[in-house]
Amino acid sequence: MKRRDFIKVTGLGAAGAAALAAPAIAQSMPEIKWRMPTSWPKSLDTLYGGAEMMSKMVAEATDNKFQIQTFAAGEIVPGLQVLDAVQNATCEIGHTASYYYFGKDPTFTFGSSVPFGPNMRINQAWYVQGGGREVLNEFYKSYNVISLLAGNTGCQMGGWFRKEVNTPEDLSGMKFRIGGFAGRVLQKLGVVPQQLAGGDIYPALEKGTIDAAEWVGPYDDEKLGFYKIAPHYYYPGWWEGGPMLLAFVNLDKWNALPRCYQSVLEQAGHYANNYMMARYDAANPLALKKLLASGTKLHAFSPPIMDACYKAAKELHAEVGATNASFKKVHDSLAKFSSDGYAWFQVAEVGYDVFMARRSQG
């Protein structure tokens, strides 16, 4: 039978042929539009770009049936209120750092990174393969959200200071922009922690509202211009050995999604995660070299400061775990997975930072 006759007999015209050619998901799946606020300004093309990448992958995988509109911090939700917007279903999904919400419960810190905790690889291995996702989502359920892995910055730097700090006493009274649970560690040393969204840090540093600030690492730090005001750049960021970034999804909205859309969303988060890590690994060394060439003064935190911070972190972990069952449960899960618990520090990453710094200095 000729093809023309076959089409006549079967009734398969141009419209029917097009339907067969279209992806099955485009034929049978509903059209859904979500909004995703983030905690990042658009100028941070890796953090904000990771959220955009996640949205792009979802749209492409569903032939634009499932679309997520991405918003920078402050456009529809303040940068540090993303969780609240998702929890209350103001928005369906949000891209943020879990530890920003430690004021609600210290357990939130484990969804990003815990002071003197594991490095990026062990942190993510725990989340993906070691029961971390399950124990965290059990905790997040009480806030009406579920988490999806959606980024990681890798090992971070220790921040920008107007003046050198050599002893724990030099930290006393210092107003330091620092995210999450680490601020409570530094409070034990007399620091006055300030939690600010990324876009608010430079103005606060410029006006003298804060004395020092940490953010991520050379690539993002250069973009935000901290070196223009605070020339002393310290390492390592012992509070963030490998902080995960998460997409929080409203639990009711998640449960209402078709299973294939859930899978697409989860895999898009993994794609954004891999993209972000590779981007930072490629961009940070070059950015550090540029910062040093511009007059940035690179310092390692002194052994007395590191020892005092480590002692304070261990004390705080024990204090909180003694009274907070959720914190202890997640803490024990991570400690069991990373065989040496919190004594395991990001030695490889710190060594890498030192190596790159020395190579940049010639």
Side-chain angles (χ1 to χ4, degrees):
M1 183 183 291
K2 294 181 179 180
R3 179 177 182 275
R4 185 180 305 162
D5 295 331
F6 173 76
I7 291 175
K8 288 179 181 179
V9 172
T10 59
L12 184 64
L20 279 180
I25 194 170
Q27 298 178 51
S28 59
M29 292 294 101
E31 292 189 3
I32 296 176
K33 292 185 178 181
W34 279 9
R35 297 191 301 169
M36 179 164 65
T38 74
S39 293
W40 331 116
K42 288 184 178 179
S43 60
L44 298 179
D45 60 351
T46 304
L47 289 169
Y48 183 77
E52 284 190 311
M53 183 65 69
M54 185 175 182
S55 299
K56 180 174 182 257
M57 292 299 103
V58 168
E60 290 184 358
T62 62
D63 199 28
N64 288 315
K65 286 283 188 175
F66 187 3
Q67 296 184 28
I68 301 174
Q69 187 176 4
T70 310
F71 296 91
E75 287 188 333
I76 58 173
V77 173
L80 300 183
Q81 295 180 24
V82 171
L83 171 66
D84 306 81
V86 177
Q87 179 182 358
N88 299 326
T90 302
C91 300
E92 297 83 2
I93 184 173
H95 195 278
T96 187
S98 178
Y99 65 9
Y100 286 161
Y101 312 100
F102 80 99
K104 299 176 183 291
D105 190 308
T107 311
F108 274 102
T109 194
F110 292 99
S112 295
S113 186
V114 68
F116 290 98
N119 69 356
M120 172 181 69
R121 297 173 189 84
I122 292 182
N123 211 21
Q124 293 199 156
W126 166 69
Y127 182 90
V128 176
Q129 296 288 330
R133 173 175 45 203
E134 291 76 16
V135 73
L136 281 173
N137 281 336
E138 180 183 344
F139 166 71
Y140 292 141
K141 187 176 181 180
S142 62
Y143 291 86
N144 197 36
V145 298
I146 187 172
S147 71
L148 301 175
L149 187 63
N152 198 304
T153 68
C155 184
Q156 297 199 6
M157 295 292 280
W160 299 86
F161 295 74
R162 292 180 179 277
K163 60 181 182 180
E164 290 187 46
V165 290
N166 298 306
T167 69
E169 290 73 27
D170 292 337
L171 298 173
S172 183
M174 180 176 289
K175 293 174 289 184
F176 185 18
R177 184 278 168 195
I178 184 164
F181 194 60
R184 290 185 60 184
V185 174
L186 287 171
Q187 274 184 311
K188 287 179 168 287
L189 303 181
V191 170
V192 183
Q194 310 286 319
Q195 182 153 281
L196 302 172
D200 299 328
I201 301 173
Y202 186 93
L205 198 58
E206 185 178 37
K207 294 175 183 177
T209 307
I210 57 176
D211 304 307
E214 63 82 32
W215 180 237
V216 176
Y219 182 68
D220 283 347
D221 291 0
E222 182 197 11
K223 281 182 171 293
L224 293 180
F226 302 140
Y227 65 95
K228 300 174 185 177
I229 307 169
H232 300 283
Y233 199 23
Y234 278 82
Y235 66 90
W238 48 262
W239 43 85
E240 298 183 66
M244 298 181 292
L245 302 176
L246 300 177
F248 284 131
V249 184
N250 178 275
L251 197 54
D252 297 327
K253 297 295 183 181
W254 171 260
N255 289 332
L257 279 180
R259 182 67 188 93
C260 64
Y261 278 11
Q262 290 180 349
S263 180
V264 164
L265 193 58
E266 185 173 7
Q267 293 309 311
H270 281 289
Y271 186 94
N273 180 64
N274 291 334
Y275 160 84
M276 192 179 293
M277 289 190 295
R279 182 110 169 111
Y280 275 120
D281 281 347
N284 274 330
L286 296 176
L288 180 58
K289 187 173 182 178
K290 288 174 64 177
L291 286 168
L292 293 174
S294 71
T296 294
K297 300 173 184 177
L298 189 66
H299 309 273
F301 282 126
S302 68
I305 287 179
M306 291 296 289
D307 289 343
C309 291
Y310 180 74
K311 180 181 177 183
K314 295 290 284 184
E315 289 176 353
L316 187 60
H317 294 160
E319 291 166 8
V320 177
T323 58
N324 186 315
S326 295
F327 184 95
K328 187 176 187 307
K329 184 173 184 177
V330 181
H331 171 285
D332 290 350
S333 171
L334 179 55
K336 181 179 179 181
F337 182 77
S338 53
S339 58
D340 293 328
Y342 292 115
W344 201 100
F345 187 51
Q346 58 266 33
V347 176
E349 279 73 11
V350 173
Y352 174 79
D353 286 341
V354 173
F355 168 75
M356 291 308 302
R358 288 177 177 169
R359 191 175 77 168
S360 299
Q361 292 172 326

